[in-house]
Amino acid sequence: LNEDLFDVCVRFGEPPDARIVARKVASNRRLLCASPAYLRERGTPATPAELARHNCIGIRQGSDAYG
């Protein structure tokens, strides 16, 4: 926040540094969806790690995967 000159910021996940004072204002739930045709062709992932082998739309922040 200091580098960006913001007094207030809405963030997702853990604060990036101990100098940031954070208060939870809401939950941010995610939902993973796939069509039946995709699952027939590629299989149904059983664990989050298996998603690495699948075509997914991911949320990113800059060049990093988010959360």
Side-chain angles (χ1 to χ4, degrees):
L1 291 176
N2 293 338
E3 295 170 5
D4 296 329
L5 302 176
F6 287 103
D7 293 323
V8 176
C9 182
V10 176
R11 301 184 62 93
F12 299 93
E14 295 298 318
D17 130 358
R19 297 174 296 166
I20 305 296
V21 176
R23 302 281 186 265
K24 182 177 179 177
V25 294
S27 296
N28 183 20
R29 297 178 64 198
R30 306 284 170 84
L31 180 66
L32 179 63
C33 303
S35 72
Y38 177 87
L39 296 175
R40 277 193 302 274
E41 182 181 320
R42 302 290 306 268
T44 302
T47 66
E50 290 181 17
L51 293 173
R53 299 190 325 253
H54 287 267
N55 296 328
C56 296
I57 296 172
I59 297 174
R60 303 186 73 75
Q61 179 178 3
S63 62
D64 299 324
Y66 201 79

